[in-house]
Amino acid sequence: MTTQWETVIGLEIHTQLATKSKIFSGASTAYGAEPNTQACAVDLGLPGVLPVLNEQAVRMAVTFGLAIDAHIAPHSVFARKNYFYPDLPKGYQISQMDLPIVGNGHLDIEVDGEIKRIGITRAHLEEDAGKSLHENFHGMTGIDLNRAGTPLLEIVSEPDMRSAKEAVAYMRKLHELVRYLEICDGNMQEGSFRCDANVSVRPIGQAEFGTRAEIKNINSFKFVEKAINHEIERQIEVIESGGKVVQETRLYDANKDETRSMRSKEEANDYRYFPDPDLLPVVISDEFKEIVKATLPELPHAKKQRFIEQYGQDEESATTLTSSRELADFYEAVVKDSGVEAKLASNWMTGDVLGALNKAGLEISQSPVSPERLAGLLKRIADNTISGRTAKQVFDKLWNGTATADEIIEQEGLKQITDTGAIEAIVDKVIAANPGPVEQYLSGKDKALMALVGQIMKETQGKANPGEVNKMLIEKLKG
Amino acid sequence: MSLTANDVKKIAHLARLGIDEQDVESYANDLSGMLDLMTQMSELNTDNVSPMAHPLDQIQRLRPDVVTEHNQREHFQAIAPQVEDGLYLVPKVIE
Amino acid sequence: MYNLTIAELAKGLRAGEFSSVELTQTYLNRIHQHSALNAYVTVTDELALQQAQAADAKIAGGDTSLLTGIPIAQKDIFCTLGVKTTCGSKMLDNFIAPYNATVVDKLNQAGAVMLGKVNMDEFAMGSSNETSYYGPTKNPWNTGTVPGGSSGGSATAVAARLAVCATGTDTGGSIRQPAALCGITGLKPTYGRVSRYGMIAYASSLDQGGPMTRNAEDAAILLQAMAGFDDKDSTSVDQPVPDYLADLNKPLTGLKIGLPKEFFTADLNGDMAATLETAINHYRQMGAEVKEISMPTLKMAIPAYYVIAPAECSANLSRFDGVRFGYRCENPADLADLYTRSRGEAFGKEVKRRILMGTYALSAGYYDAYYIKAQKVRRLISDDFKNALAEVDVIMGPVTPMPAFGIGEKLANPIEMYLSDIYTIAINLAGLPAMSIPAGFINDLPVGLQIIGNYFDEARLLNVAHQYQQVTDWHQQTPKGFE
């Protein structure tokens, strides 16, 4: 009998908060500076220095907590997590242990059309460590402490996920949320959003969790899914061949598509947490919470619902258009500016605009077509100046140039023929010249109409409105 | 309460503290003596007492999010044991 | 010149009787003459004379700060920009501090002239100045005895007139105890009164910097310049600093003094008890009411302290790893070797003892039994004080069980050394201010009277001390050979 296995996954995500200065010092957090040029005395852990807490880091943590409906601790404490590593200047990391700033909350994810609620156990503030560089130092490792002291919000989920797919969905949702809230830029290549996955398996029906392994520092959505799936397979194999899963930390190797044990972390660390005596309890008053609440932006879920109601969109379009704040804002600017039907705008956005962006590998913020120029195009579709087909030509020109839709239409003479008299003349002409298709249509072959339409469009160089043409043809033929 | 030489070695490792083999015994004695002092505290009932991490009832003050520190790398690295290309050098770390 | 107090010197400087340069040179000469005392780790001759020159110019320009031009010794625990800052340890023997402690900045701004950095127990851990990497400092009253610690160098410098005044730090008694053993005045302020930024940390929730001087008036002047809110120290208290000189002469009629019966047990040495009784009688004569109080948790102060302080210090000293500053062992084989040997070779035995103790107390399985328990006991001790100070204005008692002991006498038994902190240690746990003032001699060695006050009541402490010094002259005695 083969065991049916269930996977249990919890994610710990470290988000770098987008503050200007560090969590406990006034040094800059800007990415990409020359090594150790943004490491001040406090960041270096020089003898005698002391930490002072950054207000914005607190504000951002509370913002996050409110956005996930979590309990905000009225009183939270910083603790020292003690261990030795060269990128950890003080020999301890200032983090939070017993009393984190954000308590229980949740995030709803959608997988295969179903909504699932993923619990978030807690989120706490801590300082980031520096970076170790292992190459080019004749057998030595070089330490850059610019990153030391950057504020992190560590978000810990409940072990509620049951598949790699769910894990990815959760990670994406969280990624979207922190960017919406503008508390984190979500740049995974730069290390602003780092994921550790805790994975275990158990026979279906067993109440106890299996032994879990931790997969560290996965920096892309693609890798998360692969790494977790690989790990699940590995664990099942270990158990099924009579072994036991070891509680350990593993690193994902993207090149080999496998996880391997991290040697240096084999021994269980005794971090000897205790409240940091250099810092005092952080008190969050109800007034402070109200102030932060009032500045919360419209959250993705609420925005999606509003798009469905206000713009009459379907679930899929609404989801796509609200997947980032920039995209949603772009869309709404287009609707406002053009005054056209929301649906026309959303079709163009989800179809042509996103298509072009994906092809060129660009983000919406890098779109060569601004909301205003797109609005200009949509207006001319809506007022029948050009046909839908012509519009696609115009869009291409908008994308590859700087002219407005009006300028392009003018330059290329793309105005639709709306003079019914002129169209009628051509329709009559084509009917007369094509008795075959006419007869086929009249005897029930609807498809024959297309050939006639095609001819008419050719005659008018595509400038007749296909809808009008169609209507007129049918009227004339059916008599 | 008695600490063994092994206990001392384990603690010394946690603290990355080099201790001469010949001193281990004496540290074990000293620490055991200190721990004996500690047992006095267990006489006291502290069931409903909350731990006191700070002597005054202060709360954490918040600092505005402004960059106030600027590059002083040369100054700070002048006192460093080993630097190269602006990086602090340590024996290679194997991951 | 070197027997004058700050107040007297300030007058003399302004009257043109002498210059700061002359005054400074006099002290520098004495320091070098009496180098056998080993009070100083670093003497900053050139820098001092430069500062003295600048001070003279300021005074000529009408400057009114009492500390301008006054030669001061800085305990080698305060970071001094461009000047070696060792904390009494081999670990920092090569450490030229890249910034100034806030206290140092403040004293520089007040015009004080730094003569140098004075010796101390390694990383402030000790009660005799014998754990210093630079060797013991000698008590000027009897050079075969210890000056106390950890601010032993500071106390010796002031007692032997090798500085007008000095800064010290007190975590379990390290200002008060050496002050008592050297016959000078020392004040540990309320926790949070003086900035800890730049003051190399031993036990963060207990450490406080304070003045060590010849008398209460000088202590008031020095404290005035040292105290105040610092936004670089989260534990610094944002409370206005009163004028510490204003109430020095308030009469003491009606002052309520509490004497904890736990301090005055049969164990207290007979001579010590008699000396203190005489001292307290002076207060009765000045109109104070004296009553017995009880502080039942006081005896738990030592076990609680020797969990909390080592726990905090074990983490505070983790930054000394041979990577960014300080001692690095030669040819480390790998990272583990770098850490273990740098720390092993550069830390002394007492420091290692406390790091080991602290690491153990915080480690898995022991955290609740030791660390949390000690923090709970701390609250009980603090409550005892709060209750007592609701009934009385100040509490008095001994500073030390005995006068200065012989160099080397207590080194073999660290526990015995810890037990001698019995009268001072509880105060740090509660964060209260306290002073030690000279109260007499036993076997020709000075002993002190401890005065403990309520939170931020330093002005009252100074008043109480000052009035005593108006009717006694213990504080004016000078050790033989140093007059």
Side-chain angles (χ1 to χ4, degrees):
Chain A
M1 186 200 87
T2 41
T3 326
Q4 293 282 67
W5 296 100
E6 177 177 63
T7 310
V8 174
I9 302 165
L11 294 184
E12 277 170 25
I13 294 180
H14 289 85
T15 57
Q16 273 187 353
L17 296 179
T19 55
K20 298 199 202 78
S21 63
K22 302 215 176 150
I23 187 171
F24 296 117
S25 83
S28 168
T29 54
Y31 184 83
E34 283 294 300
N36 292 304
T37 54
Q38 285 174 188
C40 68
V42 173
D43 303 326
L44 293 174
L46 293 183
V49 299
L50 296 169
V52 188
L53 182 58
N54 184 328
E55 179 196 39
Q56 186 70 328
V58 175
R59 195 176 284 267
M60 288 180 165
V62 174
T63 300
F64 178 76
L66 291 173
I68 59 164
D69 281 328
H71 169 70
I72 308 289
H75 169 108
S76 73
V77 171
F78 282 102
R80 293 185 181 179
K81 178 179 181 180
N82 298 280
Y83 65 95
F84 285 87
Y85 207 68
D87 65 7
L88 191 68
K90 295 185 293 297
Y92 60 84
Q93 176 195 30
I94 302 178
S95 177
Q96 296 191 291
M97 179 54 169
D98 289 336
L99 290 172
I101 187 165
V102 172
N104 277 138
H106 56 83
L107 200 61
D108 292 341
I109 60 170
E110 196 180 316
V111 181
D112 296 332
E114 305 248 321
I115 309 262
K116 181 168 175 177
R117 176 155 288 191
I118 305 294
I120 291 178
T121 319
R122 53 183 272 157
H124 69 256
L125 286 169
E126 59 183 27
E127 54 178 353
D128 208 346
K131 278 199 184 134
S132 307
L133 289 96
H134 302 295
E135 333 62 57
N136 302 334
F137 293 106
H138 39 88
M140 311 264 303
T141 293
I143 307 293
D144 174 13
L145 295 170
N146 279 349
R147 200 181 65 174
T150 303
L152 293 177
L153 186 67
E154 178 177 332
I155 303 163
V156 182
S157 81
E158 292 285 325
D160 286 349
M161 289 156 272
R162 296 285 173 271
S163 69
K165 232 175 168 180
E166 284 185 6
V168 175
Y170 169 81
M171 199 174 147
R172 282 194 187 278
K173 204 76 205 277
L174 201 61
H175 187 256
E176 173 191 74
L177 180 61
V178 299
R179 283 162 59 239
Y180 249 80
L181 297 172
E182 292 182 321
I183 62 176
C184 174
D185 68 13
N187 188 325
M188 286 189 271
Q189 279 82 0
E190 288 181 2
S192 318
F193 190 88
R194 316 195 289 250
C195 178
D196 296 341
N198 287 305
V199 181
S200 68
V201 297
R202 66 182 171 188
I204 290 185
Q206 177 177 298
E208 282 165 12
F209 288 143
T211 308
R212 65 170 197 231
E214 182 187 20
I215 311 174
K216 273 201 103 55
N217 268 341
I218 311 165
N219 64 0
S220 86
F221 295 115
K222 193 174 72 180
F223 289 159
V224 166
E225 195 161 359
K226 281 185 160 192
I228 293 177
N229 280 327
H230 169 87
E231 181 57 21
I232 294 168
E233 270 174 45
R234 184 193 74 85
Q235 288 191 13
I236 292 175
E237 212 183 290
V238 163
I239 300 173
E240 283 184 342
S241 57
K244 279 209 171 106
V245 173
V246 172
Q247 182 173 332
E248 60 177 347
T249 305
R250 301 177 72 84
L251 272 185
Y252 178 67
D253 184 332
N255 295 324
K256 295 193 184 148
D257 188 24
E258 65 180 24
T259 59
R260 61 169 196 284
S261 192
M262 280 178 81
R263 242 180 349 126
S264 59
K265 305 238 176 173
E266 259 166 41
E267 43 175 78
N269 264 311
D270 180 358
Y271 292 118
R272 309 185 295 288
Y273 285 97
F274 71 103
D276 192 323
D278 287 331
L279 292 164
L280 300 164
V282 181
V283 166
I284 307 286
S285 65
D286 287 335
E287 288 78 36
F288 186 83
K289 280 197 296 204
E290 287 310 307
I291 293 172
V292 176
K293 213 174 197 168
T295 63
L296 276 183
E298 186 181 32
L299 296 181
H301 181 76
K303 202 186 279 284
K304 185 176 100 167
Q305 289 308 116
R306 180 168 66 80
F307 273 29
I308 292 172
E309 280 154 43
Q310 186 177 340
Y311 301 117
Q313 285 174 9
D314 58 60
E315 182 78 32
E316 205 184 313
S317 312
T319 305
T320 306
L321 287 175
T322 57
S323 65
S324 85
R325 219 167 133 181
E326 290 86 13
L327 190 54
D329 289 347
F330 192 105
Y331 170 73
E332 293 202 277
V334 169
V335 171
K336 193 156 168 228
D337 203 37
S338 66
V340 305
E341 254 183 56
K343 206 137 196 225
L344 177 65
S346 73
N347 286 341
W348 271 84
M349 286 294 298
T350 57
D352 304 77
V353 175
L354 281 183
L357 285 172
N358 282 336
K359 201 162 153 207
L362 297 173
E363 297 292 326
I364 186 68
S365 53
Q366 300 165 297
S367 165
V369 182
S370 66
E372 294 73 36
R373 287 206 300 147
L374 182 64
L377 172 58
L378 297 182
K379 275 195 267 202
R380 294 297 160 255
I381 301 172
D383 67 17
N384 269 319
T385 306
I386 53 173
S387 71
R389 235 173 74 175
T390 315
K392 292 201 191 281
Q393 270 177 271
V394 177
F395 180 74
D396 269 341
K397 295 236 144 71
L398 283 177
W399 187 267
N400 291 307
T402 55
T404 63
D406 279 342
E407 283 163 2
I408 297 167
I409 293 170
E410 191 62 49
Q411 272 164 30
E412 316 261 327
L414 297 172
K415 274 205 177 123
Q416 209 165 218
I417 300 174
T418 46
D419 176 356
T420 20
I423 299 180
E424 202 175 349
I426 298 174
V427 170
D428 287 338
K429 185 172 153 198
V430 167
I431 290 178
N434 291 279
V438 171
E439 220 191 284
Q440 285 179 348
Y441 177 71
L442 287 175
S443 61
K445 292 206 173 100
D446 284 339
K447 280 195 178 161
L449 196 68
M450 299 209 29
L452 295 170
V453 173
Q455 290 261 6
I456 294 166
M457 294 307 288
K458 223 165 110 186
E459 285 273 339
T460 62
Q461 287 153 344
K463 289 190 219 167
N465 184 305
E468 279 295 313
V469 165
N470 224 299
K471 209 165 112 198
M472 204 177 277
L473 250 182
I474 294 174
E475 266 175 33
K476 283 191 183 278
L477 291 174
K478 293 231 153 121
Chain B
M1 173 74 227
S2 208
L3 282 186
T4 65
N6 242 1
D7 291 330
V8 172
K9 287 189 186 163
K10 274 205 209 120
I11 303 166
H13 175 66
L14 271 180
R16 300 301 186 271
L17 212 49
I19 311 183
D20 288 334
E21 189 62 46
Q22 67 213 37
D23 293 333
V24 175
E25 195 69 42
S26 106
Y27 281 121
N29 288 334
D30 293 337
L31 290 177
S32 300
M34 285 168 94
L35 291 175
D36 285 336
L37 266 185
M38 307 316 152
T39 54
Q40 288 175 32
M41 289 195 294
S42 53
E43 292 165 23
L44 210 51
N45 183 317
T46 53
D47 286 344
N48 293 318
V49 184
S50 61
M52 185 183 217
H54 295 103
L56 307 176
D57 269 321
Q58 297 160 281
I59 62 173
Q60 180 62 36
R61 187 177 8 100
L62 300 177
R63 169 178 63 83
D65 184 26
V66 176
V67 174
T68 55
E69 299 297 320
H70 304 285
N71 179 15
Q72 282 192 275
R73 185 173 78 184
E74 268 57 56
H75 181 63
F76 290 136
Q77 290 191 343
I79 57 170
Q82 206 175 350
V83 292
E84 193 176 302
D85 293 340
L87 295 159
Y88 291 97
L89 293 191
V90 296
K92 199 172 182 85
V93 178
I94 307 152
E95 213 126 77
Chain C
M1 215 193 300
Y2 50 79
N3 279 316
L4 298 178
T5 65
I6 299 176
E8 290 163 346
L9 288 169
K11 267 213 203 89
L13 284 166
R14 279 161 189 81
E17 284 163 30
F18 42 78
S19 67
S20 174
V21 169
E22 283 175 81
L23 182 61
T24 302
Q25 192 60 69
T26 304
Y27 272 101
L28 290 170
N29 293 342
R30 279 182 70 81
I31 291 169
H32 293 300
Q33 184 191 351
H34 296 292
S35 60
L37 287 179
N38 201 24
Y40 280 79
V41 174
T42 304
V43 186
T44 48
D45 305 71
E46 262 183 58
L47 187 62
L49 290 168
Q50 276 169 27
Q51 288 182 332
Q53 270 178 359
D56 282 329
K58 268 168 104 171
I59 292 171
D63 171 277
T64 55
S65 165
L66 292 173
L67 281 172
T68 306
I70 304 295
I72 184 175
Q74 289 280 12
K75 183 174 180 180
D76 212 6
I77 197 172
F78 290 102
C79 285
T80 41
L81 173 64
V83 175
K84 187 161 128 168
T85 299
T86 69
C87 225
S89 180
K90 180 176 177 182
M91 181 59 84
L92 293 178
D93 183 45
N94 67 358
F95 181 67
I96 309 290
Y99 72 101
N100 268 335
T102 298
V103 160
V104 173
D105 266 340
K106 287 168 86 83
L107 289 171
N108 285 343
Q109 270 161 43
V113 172
M114 183 174 83
L115 294 165
K117 310 298 290 297
V118 282
N119 206 354
M120 53 183 282
D121 277 305
E122 187 180 5
F123 284 105
M125 299 181 209
S127 312
S128 63
N129 221 112
E130 292 173 288
T131 69
S132 171
Y133 174 61
Y134 301 95
T137 298
K138 303 194 174 107
N139 189 323
W141 295 90
N142 176 337
T143 55
T145 65
V146 302
S150 62
S151 312
S154 309
T156 292
V158 175
R161 277 78 173 130
L162 306 184
V164 178
C165 55
T167 54
T169 64
D170 190 313
T171 305
S174 294
I175 284 177
R176 293 161 286 155
Q177 185 251 27
L181 299 188
C182 288
I184 65 163
T185 299
L187 185 149
K188 180 203 93 68
T190 310
Y191 184 84
R193 179 78 283 185
V194 173
S195 168
R196 290 187 303 113
Y197 188 80
M199 193 176 105
I200 299 174
Y202 157 28
S204 318
S205 75
L206 304 169
D207 295 340
Q208 262 298 275
M212 297 179 75
T213 56
R214 288 187 214 143
N215 63 23
E217 185 182 29
D218 280 4
I221 295 170
L222 194 49
L223 182 63
Q224 194 78 55
M226 290 173 78
F229 174 66
D230 181 12
D231 64 10
K232 298 204 280 288
D233 174 1
S234 292
T235 59
S236 170
V237 174
D238 194 358
Q239 249 198 43
V241 180
D243 179 349
Y244 290 124
L245 289 170
D247 292 337
L248 280 183
N249 288 304
K250 253 176 74 172
L252 299 185
T253 29
L255 177 75
K256 293 204 207 74
I257 300 173
L259 301 180
K261 69 175 201 240
E262 291 79 10
F263 275 174
F264 292 92
T265 61
D267 290 336
L268 184 59
N269 171 274
D271 290 331
M272 184 68 78
T275 308
L276 295 175
E277 182 61 26
T278 309
I280 291 162
N281 275 333
H282 280 289
Y283 281 104
R284 287 191 178 93
Q285 281 155 34
M286 287 191 275
E289 288 168 40
V290 179
K291 68 186 259 203
E292 186 186 78
I293 56 175
S294 176
M295 304 190 48
T297 328
L298 221 49
K299 63 183 187 293
M300 295 292 169
I302 290 188
Y305 174 91
Y306 279 102
V307 169
I308 294 171
E312 292 181 5
C313 97
S314 70
N316 283 333
L317 267 60
S318 294
R319 68 192 63 200
F320 299 104
D321 57 9
V323 177
R324 301 164 310 291
F325 52 82
Y327 182 86
R328 175 184 281 208
C329 63
E330 273 190 37
N331 303 321
D334 54 29
L335 188 64
D337 191 38
L338 172 71
Y339 288 147
T340 325
R341 259 199 313 132
S342 299
R343 292 161 64 76
E345 288 168 13
F347 283 143
K349 278 226 172 82
E350 186 58 41
V351 168
K352 285 187 186 172
R353 227 176 252 130
R354 297 196 195 192
I355 292 176
L356 290 171
M357 181 66 220
T359 305
Y360 182 74
L362 292 174
S363 63
Y366 299 107
Y367 179 72
D368 284 332
Y370 293 116
Y371 184 77
I372 293 293
K373 184 78 183 180
Q375 297 281 40
K376 290 183 173 190
V377 169
R378 179 181 190 168
R379 187 172 296 282
L380 290 176
I381 292 171
S382 184
D383 286 346
D384 267 4
F385 274 108
K386 285 202 178 91
N387 294 335
L389 289 163
E391 289 176 39
V392 299
D393 299 316
V394 295
I395 296 169
M396 289 189 184
V399 183
T400 60
M402 293 294 279
F405 44 89
I407 294 179
E409 199 181 294
K410 294 207 177 179
L411 275 183
N413 192 340
I415 310 286
E416 210 191 296
M417 188 83 84
Y418 302 157
L419 292 174
S420 61
D421 290 333
I422 185 156
Y423 302 110
T424 52
I425 233 170
I427 283 83
N428 299 79
L429 292 169
L432 291 167
M435 283 184 80
S436 170
I437 54 175
F441 288 83
I442 295 174
N443 301 334
D444 298 323
L445 287 166
V447 292
L449 168 71
Q450 187 175 197
I451 313 168
I452 303 156
N454 213 334
Y455 297 102
F456 299 103
D457 210 8
E458 286 84 357
R460 163 121 59 187
L461 285 180
L462 290 160
N463 166 223
V464 169
H466 180 76
Q467 293 297 68
Y468 178 82
Q469 290 177 347
Q470 303 305 101
V471 298
T472 59
D473 65 358
W474 303 119
H475 61 288
Q476 286 165 337
Q477 308 300 308
T478 313
K480 244 196 300 247
F482 296 93
E483 303 93 339

